[in-house]
Amino acid sequence: MKTRRGWRANKKAPENRYRLGLLRAMTAAARLSRDRRAWIAAGAVLLVAVAAAIWVQLAGGQDGPPDTRARQYKEFDACLLTGDKGIAQGTDAASAWRGMQRASLETRARINYVPVTGAQSVANTQPFLNSLMQRHCGVLVAVGAPQARVARAAAAEHPEVRFVVVDGASHAGSEKAGNVTAAEPGASLPTTVADAITRAVRASGQ
Protein backbone atom coordinates (compact mmCIF):
# COMPACT_ATOMS: atom_id res chain seq x y z
CA MET A 1 0.00 0.00 0.00
CA LYS A 2 2.77 2.42 0.83
CA THR A 3 4.51 1.59 -2.38
CA ARG A 4 1.32 2.22 -4.37
CA ARG A 5 0.64 5.51 -2.62
CA GLY A 6 4.21 6.62 -3.27
CA TRP A 7 3.88 5.68 -6.93
CA ARG A 8 0.65 7.60 -7.24
CA ALA A 9 2.22 10.63 -5.59
CA ASN A 10 5.20 10.47 -7.91
CA LYS A 11 2.84 10.13 -10.85
CA LYS A 12 1.07 13.38 -9.91
CA ALA A 13 4.32 15.30 -9.27
CA PRO A 14 5.07 16.08 -12.97
CA GLU A 15 1.51 17.33 -13.41
CA ASN A 16 1.85 19.61 -10.39
CA ARG A 17 5.17 20.92 -11.64
CA TYR A 18 3.58 21.56 -15.04
CA ARG A 19 0.71 23.49 -13.42
CA LEU A 20 3.15 25.49 -11.29
CA GLY A 21 5.30 26.31 -14.31
CA LEU A 22 2.24 27.36 -16.28
CA LEU A 23 1.09 29.61 -13.42
CA ARG A 24 4.50 31.24 -13.22
CA ALA A 25 4.56 31.81 -16.97
CA MET A 26 1.10 33.38 -16.88
CA THR A 27 2.19 35.64 -14.01
CA ALA A 28 5.32 36.75 -15.88
CA ALA A 29 3.29 37.39 -19.04
CA ALA A 30 0.80 39.53 -17.12
CA ARG A 31 3.65 41.49 -15.56
CA LEU A 32 5.28 41.96 -18.96
CA SER A 33 1.97 43.12 -20.40
CA ARG A 34 1.63 45.71 -17.67
CA ASP A 35 5.21 46.86 -18.30
CA ARG A 36 4.53 47.21 -22.02
CA ARG A 37 1.44 49.30 -21.32
CA ALA A 38 3.49 51.47 -19.00
CA TRP A 39 6.20 51.94 -21.64
CA ILE A 40 3.61 52.75 -24.29
CA ALA A 41 1.96 55.30 -22.00
CA ALA A 42 5.32 56.89 -21.16
CA GLY A 43 6.21 57.06 -24.83
CA ALA A 44 2.91 58.77 -25.65
CA VAL A 45 3.47 61.36 -22.91
CA LEU A 46 6.98 62.02 -24.23
CA LEU A 47 5.71 62.52 -27.79
CA VAL A 48 3.07 64.99 -26.59
CA ALA A 49 5.69 66.96 -24.62
CA VAL A 50 8.03 67.15 -27.61
CA ALA A 51 5.21 68.26 -29.92
CA ALA A 52 4.17 70.97 -27.45
CA ALA A 53 7.74 72.26 -27.19
CA ILE A 54 8.06 72.44 -30.98
CA TRP A 55 4.72 74.26 -31.28
CA VAL A 56 5.73 76.84 -28.67
CA GLN A 57 9.00 77.49 -30.47
CA LEU A 58 7.31 77.88 -33.85
CA ALA A 59 4.64 80.12 -32.36
CA GLY A 60 7.32 82.45 -31.08
CA GLY A 61 6.84 81.69 -27.40
CA GLN A 62 9.83 82.39 -25.21
CA ASP A 63 10.54 81.64 -21.58
CA GLY A 64 13.05 83.69 -19.68
CA PRO A 65 14.77 86.92 -20.68
CA PRO A 66 14.92 88.01 -24.34
CA ASP A 67 17.91 87.15 -26.47
CA THR A 68 20.52 89.86 -25.89
CA ARG A 69 21.80 89.28 -29.42
CA ALA A 70 18.52 90.55 -30.93
CA ARG A 71 18.94 93.75 -32.90
CA GLN A 72 17.81 96.84 -30.97
CA TYR A 73 16.46 99.61 -33.20
CA LYS A 74 16.41 103.32 -32.47
CA GLU A 75 13.23 105.35 -32.23
CA PHE A 76 13.70 106.62 -35.76
CA ASP A 77 11.75 105.57 -38.85
CA ALA A 78 12.71 105.96 -42.49
CA CYS A 79 9.84 105.33 -44.89
CA LEU A 80 9.68 104.60 -48.61
CA LEU A 81 6.70 105.48 -50.82
CA THR A 82 6.70 103.60 -54.13
CA GLY A 83 4.52 102.85 -57.13
CA ASP A 84 2.39 99.74 -57.46
CA LYS A 85 5.44 97.56 -58.27
CA GLY A 86 6.84 98.14 -54.79
CA ILE A 87 10.52 97.27 -54.50
CA ALA A 88 10.55 94.81 -57.41
CA GLN A 89 14.00 94.02 -58.72
CA GLY A 90 15.27 96.42 -61.37
CA THR A 91 13.14 99.37 -60.24
CA ASP A 92 14.36 102.67 -58.79
CA ALA A 93 12.45 101.78 -55.64
CA ALA A 94 14.58 98.63 -55.26
CA SER A 95 17.74 100.75 -55.50
CA ALA A 96 16.40 103.20 -52.91
CA TRP A 97 15.47 100.29 -50.63
CA ARG A 98 19.04 98.95 -50.77
CA GLY A 99 20.27 102.35 -49.62
CA MET A 100 17.75 102.30 -46.77
CA GLN A 101 18.88 98.83 -45.71
CA ARG A 102 22.49 100.00 -45.69
CA ALA A 103 21.59 103.00 -43.53
CA SER A 104 19.59 100.81 -41.16
CA LEU A 105 22.58 98.54 -40.60
CA GLU A 106 24.80 101.54 -39.85
CA THR A 107 22.40 103.60 -37.74
CA ARG A 108 19.86 101.01 -36.46
CA ALA A 109 17.01 103.12 -37.84
CA ARG A 110 13.77 101.29 -38.59
CA ILE A 111 12.77 101.13 -42.25
CA ASN A 112 9.53 100.29 -44.04
CA TYR A 113 7.89 100.87 -47.40
CA VAL A 114 4.37 101.37 -48.72
CA PRO A 115 3.39 100.85 -52.39
CA VAL A 116 0.64 102.99 -53.90
CA THR A 117 -2.00 100.61 -55.20
CA GLY A 118 -4.62 101.54 -57.74
CA ALA A 119 -4.36 104.61 -59.95
CA GLN A 120 -0.87 106.09 -60.08
CA SER A 121 -2.10 109.65 -59.69
CA VAL A 122 -1.48 112.49 -57.26
CA ALA A 123 -5.01 112.23 -55.88
CA ASN A 124 -4.67 108.52 -55.18
CA THR A 125 -1.11 108.83 -53.85
CA GLN A 126 -1.95 111.51 -51.27
CA PRO A 127 -3.70 109.18 -48.75
CA PHE A 128 -0.73 106.81 -48.82
CA LEU A 129 1.67 109.63 -48.01
CA ASN A 130 -0.65 110.82 -45.24
CA SER A 131 -0.56 107.36 -43.67
CA LEU A 132 3.24 107.47 -43.60
CA MET A 133 3.21 110.92 -42.02
CA GLN A 134 1.08 109.49 -39.22
CA ARG A 135 3.90 107.04 -38.49
CA HIS A 136 6.18 110.01 -37.70
CA CYS A 137 8.77 109.12 -40.33
CA GLY A 138 12.03 110.98 -39.83
CA VAL A 139 12.93 110.47 -43.49
CA LEU A 140 10.51 109.87 -46.35
CA VAL A 141 11.83 108.61 -49.67
CA ALA A 142 9.38 109.03 -52.55
CA VAL A 143 10.01 107.17 -55.83
CA GLY A 144 7.90 107.96 -58.89
CA ALA A 145 6.37 111.08 -60.41
CA PRO A 146 3.15 111.30 -58.34
CA GLN A 147 4.99 110.18 -55.20
CA ALA A 148 7.63 112.88 -55.62
CA ARG A 149 5.01 115.52 -56.30
CA VAL A 150 2.99 114.86 -53.12
CA ALA A 151 6.25 114.62 -51.14
CA ARG A 152 7.38 118.07 -52.28
CA ALA A 153 3.99 119.49 -51.34
CA ALA A 154 4.19 117.88 -47.89
CA ALA A 155 7.73 119.14 -47.24
CA ALA A 156 6.53 122.66 -46.40
CA GLU A 157 4.03 121.28 -43.87
CA HIS A 158 6.54 118.92 -42.25
CA PRO A 159 9.85 120.79 -41.88
CA GLU A 160 11.00 118.25 -39.29
CA VAL A 161 10.99 115.47 -41.90
CA ARG A 162 13.75 114.93 -44.45
CA PHE A 163 12.29 114.16 -47.92
CA VAL A 164 14.21 112.38 -50.68
CA VAL A 165 12.43 112.47 -54.04
CA VAL A 166 13.30 110.27 -57.02
CA ASP A 167 11.45 110.98 -60.25
CA GLY A 168 14.17 111.72 -62.78
CA ALA A 169 12.86 115.24 -63.35
CA SER A 170 14.85 117.14 -60.71
CA HIS A 171 18.54 117.59 -60.02
CA ALA A 172 20.26 117.56 -56.68
CA GLY A 173 20.55 121.02 -55.20
CA SER A 174 17.66 122.47 -57.21
CA GLU A 175 15.02 122.09 -54.49
CA LYS A 176 13.80 125.26 -52.81
CA ALA A 177 12.81 123.57 -49.55
CA GLY A 178 15.75 122.90 -47.26
CA ASN A 179 14.37 119.53 -46.18
CA VAL A 180 14.06 118.09 -49.71
CA THR A 181 16.80 116.21 -51.55
CA ALA A 182 16.36 115.36 -55.23
CA ALA A 183 18.11 112.07 -55.97
CA GLU A 184 19.05 110.90 -59.43
CA PRO A 185 18.09 107.39 -60.51
CA GLY A 186 21.01 105.11 -61.25
CA ALA A 187 24.00 103.53 -59.57
CA SER A 188 24.46 106.38 -57.07
CA LEU A 189 20.89 106.24 -55.75
CA PRO A 190 21.51 103.77 -52.88
CA THR A 191 24.38 105.90 -51.60
CA THR A 192 22.37 109.13 -51.83
CA VAL A 193 19.48 107.60 -49.88
CA ALA A 194 21.77 106.01 -47.27
CA ASP A 195 23.63 109.28 -46.69
CA ALA A 196 20.38 111.24 -46.29
CA ILE A 197 19.09 108.81 -43.66
CA THR A 198 22.40 108.68 -41.80
CA ARG A 199 22.57 112.49 -41.56
CA ALA A 200 18.96 112.69 -40.38
CA VAL A 201 19.50 110.06 -37.68
CA ARG A 202 22.61 111.83 -36.39
CA ALA A 203 20.86 115.19 -36.44
CA SER A 204 17.99 113.75 -34.40
CA GLY A 205 20.37 112.80 -31.60
CA GLN A 206 19.27 109.17 -31.65
Side-chain angles (χ1 to χ4, degrees):
M1 294 298 290
K2 292 182 180 179
T3 302
R4 184 175 297 178
R5 286 196 188 99
W7 177 82
R8 288 178 179 177
N10 292 334
K11 185 177 180 180
K12 292 181 180 180
E15 181 178 356
N16 292 337
R17 286 196 297 271
Y18 171 76
R19 290 179 179 178
L20 180 60
L22 180 61
L23 179 60
R24 289 177 178 175
M26 293 176 62
T27 302
R31 184 178 302 160
L32 179 61
S33 177
R34 289 195 299 270
D35 291 342
R36 287 186 62 189
R37 288 196 297 269
W39 278 108
I40 292 173
V45 171
L46 179 60
L47 287 175
V48 171
V50 171
I54 294 174
W55 181 87
V56 169
Q57 184 175 5
L58 293 177
Q62 179 178 338
D63 294 329
D67 188 355
T68 56
R69 296 172 298 178
R71 184 172 175 81
Q72 300 295 323
Y73 288 94
K74 294 181 179 180
E75 290 297 322
F76 190 98
D77 292 275
C79 310
L80 173 62
L81 184 64
T82 77
D84 54 0
K85 293 182 180 180
I87 55 175
Q89 186 175 2
T91 61
D92 291 335
S95 296
W97 183 248
R98 286 196 299 272
M100 295 177 71
Q101 290 176 312
R102 185 189 308 171
S104 180
L105 287 174
E106 295 176 356
T107 66
R108 292 185 287 118
R110 295 186 298 248
I111 59 174
N112 62 83
Y113 75 94
V114 171
V116 175
T117 58
Q120 300 299 296
S121 63
V122 171
N124 187 51
T125 300
Q126 188 66 53
F128 292 90
L129 181 135
N130 293 341
S131 68
L132 289 177
M133 290 293 96
Q134 292 176 359
R135 299 183 188 183
H136 304 289
C137 302
V139 174
L140 189 138
V141 182
V143 180
Q147 289 79 6
R149 185 173 176 181
V150 296
R152 288 189 179 94
E157 301 177 3
H158 300 277
E160 76 285 359
V161 179
R162 164 60 59 179
F163 291 83
V164 180
V165 296
V166 186
D167 61 359
S170 301
H171 300 280
S174 63
E175 298 293 340
K176 295 180 180 180
N179 59 333
V180 178
T181 299
E184 292 289 344
S188 63
L189 180 56
T191 300
T192 302
V193 171
D195 289 346
I197 295 174
T198 300
R199 289 194 301 270
V201 173
R202 290 174 179 172
S204 69
Q206 292 288 335

